Amino acid sequence: MTQSQRLARPPIQFILGLLALLVAFCFKSVVTAPPNVSETLSTTGFDTKVAIDRLAWILGDERPHPVDSPANDLVRERILSEIKTLGYTPEVRDDFACRGSKRFGGMSCARVRNILFRAGPSGGGAALIAAHYDSVPAGPGASDDGAGVAATLEIAARLTGRKLTKPVIFLLTDGEEVGLLGASSFVRKDPWAKDVALAINMEARGTGGPAIMFQTSAPNGRDIAALTAKPVRTIANSMAADIYRTLPNDTDATEFLAKGYDVINFAFIAPVARYHTPLDNLANLEPASVGHMGGAALVALEGHLAGKPTANALEADVIYSDVLGRFILVMPKAVGYGLLGFGLLGALFAYVRSGPKGVVRALIAPLAALLVAGGVGFGALWLINQVRVESQWWFATPMAGRLLVYSSGLLGALIALWLCRGISPTRVLAGAWIWVTGLFLGLSIVSPGSMILAAPAAGLAGAGFLLTGMKIDRRLLQVIFGLASALVLLIFILPALDFAEVGLGFGLGWAFGAVGALLMLCTLAPIWQPETKLAGASLLTLLAIGGAFAWAAFTPAYSPEIPRPLNVQHWHGDGGDHAWVLGPGEEAAPTSMQALAPFKLASLRNSDSKRVHAPAPVLSGTPMPARIEVLAETKTAEGRTLKLRVLAPGADEVILSVPKEAQVRMLNGGSDGQAGGLTFDAPKALGLRCVGRSCVQWDLEVKLGPTPAPWITRAVLRKLGPEGDAIVKARPPWASPVQGGDVRVTNQSQKL
């Protein structure tokens, strides 16, 4: 075999590098798995077994316990009993609370009963340990947020008998699931709210996975100082916190941030398909996840208690990231900019000194990798969505999605290397790092926290590039520093990608693949030879893409463990029409249900969107519609001010849909006329909601336009009558109620 033939074959280290990269991207969740309960106990003192045993007693028969329901009363009484057993004196704050949201265009109300107790001295500077104890109507809430309740009580148990230097307030909110009502009530009205300096909130959006610290206040110096005062195992990075601020998602921490507290917010989020379903039960709750979250929260509390008062000190704003979930690296933003800038200058230095050949191609190649990976991934995902009727198939086959998008990333990296044939490997590697450092410097404009993911690796790469100017073996330096900086880059970015996949799904999978292509190019370039033929490797990558496509496109999307969310609603309208309505979403009815009724996606009376529905029999019993009484009306030149009373006898929930034509300019809820007040700059459609037993009579005040408009009232009863037995029985085992579950809805139109 000639020398040229040997070079034409990919060296073994290159082939192994390809395989290692694909394995690392597809199985990256292994390195972020939560510690076992024994490790958590030995390192933090948090006893997971005791915490879950306590939760099992609190949940009892695991019935759903939404706000202001008899089941929630029982859960609350058992929580109070446990708190007293721990030696504390709990207090219950009873409040009819409303919270408005301009973002979503509406308001939610309910009677909430927050549970509070405290330890340590009186006064300010307190740490708030918070979770919520209500569940959605469809599920028992063992994870969301029974896990937070269990962790809160176990943290309280760890403090029993200790002499504390700062106050600790424990808050178990009610009504979180219907709009953060308990947290809103606490920050607006509770006398203890003024004492809080740091809020540590615990949540769940699944039944397992690692504990993720995904939200802080801004600036965040005190938050991160408390979290990292002692070694802590959690998943966290400042880019995720930046992104979360832009999302429409909310937890109780939203209210704590608005109050001005420092905030540390934890959650575990896998698998999302069990979120707000009957599968959110004790059997599926992963003990290691509860321990991971509770242990990290306990460490953060201990850090706050040990910290010195800094009330008048200027708070730093830092960037941070976990390192394989083992510890958290923290650095000032200036250091992040410095390392990225140093890496960019080093890459430019090496790029310029790499001779005249390939000046343009080596700089275009990384862009080609991004475009190929993103384009192939986008096209493949689009085709799968055309083949499948299921909108979120990736929850059932996440590994198929990973293999698809990261094989696309690998293809992009290989094409970039093919474009660079005959060019100096140093220039190819420098070109890739110019793009990496430039990309993250650009991202820092909108997300300064993103710098932490690339800055350490950029600093290492920059040092390697500058050393190539020395009279030593440049090829050896390239391999050593190139692989070392690529490894550091992967260590920081892979856990962040895993978090993004679980939280966002593969709707943005093409973007994950594009990022992967750039990372893979940085990893492969140090071990690549310019004369190496890449056709065989590219063919294998195309086969991997094809296999992943078939896996994702044709594997059953749902199972009893990862179910399709599917509620059955029985609607009765004021026009005498009756309908079965399926949701959420617009997926077709399962065959077994279609056999009972001719479901179709079409417009529905008293609905502002198309819904999957079919004719239904008459509601059993006497429908009890909600009605609106006008208690007082004041007319002005601008419009009208109405004091309203909504009456919904026997309903578990009442919903008002207000059309844009009503021209609502101001909205207040609650008997005090102040709860959840909202003003609107322009007319918009609104949704108003009151949940629980207290909503049989609901008072509102509204300022609106002069012309009456039709409001839709919906009285919701959380159970189906006997006429629903057959349709519920026909729901397949791979489908499950979600959120509000199966309900009867009585609709009525009323002009106001």
Side-chain angles (χ1 to χ4, degrees):
M1 183 179 295
T2 65
Q3 176 69 13
S4 61
Q5 287 174 322
R6 282 194 294 270
L7 287 174
R9 295 176 56 187
I12 187 64
Q13 63 265 31
F14 188 79
I15 297 298
L16 291 176
L18 294 179
L19 294 175
L21 277 173
L22 205 50
V23 168
F25 274 85
C26 289
F27 293 94
K28 56 191 175 297
S29 60
V30 173
V31 298
T32 58
N36 61 47
V37 296
S38 298
E39 180 183 342
T40 295
L41 179 60
S42 64
T43 56
T44 69
F46 185 90
D47 195 325
T48 307
K49 184 179 184 307
V50 171
I52 292 179
D53 287 346
R54 192 179 284 124
L55 175 62
W57 185 81
I58 288 171
L59 293 181
D61 60 3
E62 295 194 76
R63 275 186 289 168
H65 48 282
V67 62
D68 196 17
S69 68
N72 208 30
D73 294 343
L74 294 174
V75 167
R76 181 172 57 257
E77 289 304 317
R78 289 192 284 263
I79 291 174
L80 292 171
S81 175
E82 281 295 320
I83 294 169
K84 293 172 184 175
T85 299
L86 292 174
Y88 295 95
T89 303
E91 299 183 24
V92 176
R93 308 282 203 260
D94 193 332
D95 181 32
F96 186 85
C98 294
R99 179 176 180 269
S101 171
K102 285 189 176 181
R103 180 193 295 175
F104 298 111
M107 185 175 68
S108 291
C109 299
R111 184 180 177 188
V112 296
R113 299 164 178 88
N114 289 342
I115 301 171
L116 290 105
F117 60 104
R118 62 191 298 163
S122 59
L128 179 73
I129 307 297
H132 71 88
Y133 72 91
D134 62 307
S135 77
V136 295
S143 299
D144 180 22
D145 191 23
V149 172
T152 298
L153 297 181
E154 179 56 19
I155 291 171
R158 297 303 97 202
L159 300 185
T160 301
R162 280 180 52 178
K163 186 174 179 60
L164 303 176
T165 58
K166 296 177 183 177
V168 180
I169 298 172
F170 298 91
L171 169 64
L172 298 176
T173 65
D174 194 11
E176 190 273 350
E177 296 292 5
V178 295
L180 320 182
L181 299 184
S184 176
S185 175
F186 174 78
V187 300
R188 284 193 306 112
K189 294 184 176 181
D190 201 286
W192 291 2
K194 68 181 186 303
D195 295 339
V196 177
L198 168 68
I200 300 172
N201 191 60
M202 290 175 283
E203 263 284 3
R205 195 168 172 245
T207 58
I212 300 167
M213 198 289 288
F214 62 97
Q215 187 178 28
T216 65
S217 53
N220 58 11
R222 290 190 295 264
D223 319 9
I224 301 303
L227 181 64
T228 57
K230 296 182 178 180
V232 60
R233 285 199 59 176
T234 187
I235 304 299
N237 70 72
S238 45
M239 181 179 182
D242 287 346
I243 292 173
Y244 188 81
R245 291 188 190 102
T246 69
L247 298 177
N249 308 55
D250 285 313
T251 68
D252 281 342
T254 301
E255 289 293 307
F256 303 149
L257 286 167
K259 186 69 172 177
Y261 301 159
D262 291 333
V263 165
I264 299 174
N265 203 3
F266 293 98
F268 50 85
I269 60 172
V272 177
R274 293 176 181 166
Y275 176 60
H276 284 177
T277 74
L279 293 176
D280 183 7
N281 55 29
L282 288 168
N284 288 317
L285 178 61
E286 296 181 16
S289 302
V290 179
H292 198 197
M293 181 168 71
L298 180 56
V299 168
L301 173 61
E302 296 286 6
H304 171 78
L305 295 175
K308 296 179 180 179
T310 57
N312 297 320
L314 184 65
E315 185 176 8
D317 204 0
V318 298
I319 57 178
Y320 58 89
S321 175
D322 69 280
V323 180
L324 298 179
R326 265 58 184 177
F327 64 92
I328 295 178
L329 177 68
V330 183
M331 65 177 63
K333 286 182 180 178
V335 175
Y337 281 115
L339 289 174
L340 283 172
F342 176 68
L344 177 58
L345 289 174
L348 289 170
F349 171 78
Y351 198 87
V352 171
R353 288 177 57 89
S354 296
K357 194 170 184 180
V359 173
V360 175
R361 274 193 293 146
L363 202 56
I364 291 176
L367 176 60
L370 291 168
L371 293 176
V372 168
V376 172
F378 182 87
L381 292 171
W382 181 84
L383 283 174
I384 291 172
N385 287 330
Q386 306 313 303
V387 172
R388 307 210 70 125
V389 296
E390 304 91 349
S391 59
Q392 297 179 344
W393 52 267
W394 53 77
F395 288 143
T397 54
M399 191 55 70
R402 292 188 188 105
L403 182 59
L404 176 61
V405 299
Y406 295 122
S407 294
S408 300
L410 189 55
L411 179 64
L414 290 173
I415 287 177
L417 292 176
W418 175 79
L419 288 173
C420 292
R421 60 196 183 279
I423 302 174
S424 161
T426 300
R427 170 160 282 163
V428 176
L429 183 60
W433 274 99
I434 288 171
W435 274 87
V436 169
T437 51
L439 174 64
F440 278 91
L441 283 170
L443 277 175
S444 71
I445 298 172
V446 294
S447 170
S450 64
M451 292 189 293
I452 191 65
L453 300 182
L460 185 59
F465 286 130
L466 292 178
L467 286 173
T468 58
M470 299 176 62
K471 294 182 179 181
I472 54 179
D473 190 339
R474 293 184 182 180
R475 178 61 179 161
L476 179 62
L477 279 176
Q478 176 187 303
V479 173
I480 293 174
F481 277 89
L483 288 179
S485 55
L487 178 61
V488 173
L489 191 63
L490 293 176
I491 284 173
F492 280 90
I493 294 185
L494 288 185
L497 280 176
D498 187 61
F499 175 19
E501 291 168 14
V502 175
L504 302 175
F506 282 96
L508 291 174
W510 58 271
F512 304 153
V515 171
L518 198 54
L519 303 183
M520 292 172 180
L521 183 58
C522 289
T523 308
L524 293 174
I527 57 175
W528 168 74
Q529 299 281 356
E531 300 85 359
T532 300
K533 300 295 183 181
L534 300 173
S538 299
L539 179 60
L540 289 174
T541 304
L542 286 170
L543 290 174
I545 293 171
F549 178 90
W551 184 5
F554 302 110
T555 301
Y558 301 124
S559 68
E561 293 75 31
I562 306 293
R564 168 186 170 178
L566 183 60
N567 294 328
V568 177
Q569 299 183 352
H570 193 175
W571 281 34
H572 166 74
D574 52 7
D577 50 334
H578 298 263
W580 297 121
V581 180
L582 303 183
E586 298 181 352
E587 288 186 30
T591 304
S592 55
M593 301 177 82
Q594 189 73 34
L596 295 181
F599 286 97
K600 62 180 179 180
L601 178 63
S603 299
L604 183 65
R605 180 182 172 87
N606 293 327
S607 174
D608 55 3
S609 62
K610 291 183 177 182
R611 295 176 182 261
V612 177
H613 69 279
V618 176
L619 282 167
S620 59
T622 303
M624 298 293 288
R627 69 182 191 277
I628 305 173
E629 293 184 351
V630 179
L631 301 181
E633 180 176 5
T634 304
K635 295 183 178 180
T636 65
E638 294 79 19
R640 301 169 294 154
T641 299
L642 302 180
K643 290 186 180 293
L644 305 176
R645 175 163 292 167
V646 183
L647 300 173
D652 295 306
E653 180 177 343
V654 59
I655 301 169
L656 307 180
S657 294
V658 186
K660 181 179 179 180
E661 293 73 25
Q663 300 180 15
V664 173
R665 298 193 303 276
M666 183 276 292
L667 183 65
N668 282 326
S671 57
D672 61 3
Q674 299 299 318
L678 280 180
T679 58
F680 300 95
D681 299 326
K684 64 189 303 183
L686 302 176
L688 317 180
R689 180 188 186 196
C690 189
V691 182
R693 295 166 296 188
S694 301
C695 297
V696 295
Q697 180 177 303
W698 175 25
D699 291 342
L700 301 165
E701 182 182 10
V702 58
K703 290 183 179 179
L704 69 172
T707 306
W711 293 33
I712 303 298
T713 66
R714 294 189 176 92
V716 179
L717 189 63
R718 293 190 193 120
K719 62 179 181 180
L720 296 174
E723 65 278 6
D725 291 347
I727 202 77
V728 169
K729 188 176 180 180
R731 180 165 47 203
W734 44 260
S736 170
V738 67
Q739 302 282 0
D742 300 336
V743 296
R744 279 187 279 184
V745 182
T746 301
N747 299 289
Q748 181 168 289
S749 178
Q750 186 172 347
K751 268 197 173 184
L752 290 175

